[in-house]
Amino acid sequence: MSVTAGRAATTRASAPSAPRLVLAPTRDRTVLDGGWWPRSWDPATELPGLVLALSERHGRIRHIMLNIHAWDSRFRRLTVGPDVVRIGWFDTLDPAVLVATTGRDVQVDLLVVPPATPRAAAEWAMATAADPTNLRRAPDILASAPVGPQAAAATGSDAYAVWDNEGGSTASSATTSPYASTRSCTSASAR
């Protein structure tokens, strides 16, 4: 497996780790196909395992779209086994969403749970995203993820760093949140 960075030489990536991923049981989705909780914001480390897991379920993955501001680095192509996956970086794609396209043009939309999210909140968010009855969008799921004592009961309702489509947090800085340590995502329009 290798990562191709722009016009730079191809470098070897380490063996992919098993992704923290929960997928909906069927494609009869209303909003999301599941949730993914990467361990870091390094796409070269995180994406190979995700691509392999998605390929097992949905067939060859040919394209992945990510928010340009949420990740540590950018490259245009990712080689996983015999396949080359094109990577697209978008300013307007919500940081809480990853869009994968299969070789059969099936779109797979995943909630991206920030790496620093506490385990209970992350697991709740991924399970909610994979629930076929879920009607909430990715930012709304992250905003309602339970923390502390509420996490065990999965009944949290406080507003936490909700990411808007321009890549910024809509939560006030006074709000204590499990997402407060996530990467700052400011858009070009906020300059």
Side-chain angles (χ1 to χ4, degrees), residues 37-88:
W37 184 26
R39 290 171 177 83
S40 72
W41 289 112
D42 178 10
T45 301
E46 301 298 333
L47 290 177
L50 178 66
V51 168
L52 289 173
L54 290 176
S55 295
E56 287 177 16
R57 176 79 174 272
H58 298 289
R60 180 181 166 265
I61 302 299
R62 64 178 179 83
H63 192 223
I64 290 180
M65 294 182 278
L66 299 161
N67 177 277
I68 195 167
H69 302 289
W71 296 87
D72 289 340
S73 62
R74 290 171 208 82
F75 45 86
R76 296 278 182 210
R77 295 188 188 338
L78 174 70
T79 303
V80 180
D83 296 324
V84 176
V85 180
R86 291 182 325 196
I87 310 295

Side-chain angles (χ1 to χ4, degrees), residues 124 137-146 156-163 179:
W124 178 88
R137 302 211 176 275
D140 299 329
I141 292 171
L142 292 180
S144 61
S157 62
D158 294 331
Y160 299 113
V162 178
W163 296 101
Y179 310 105

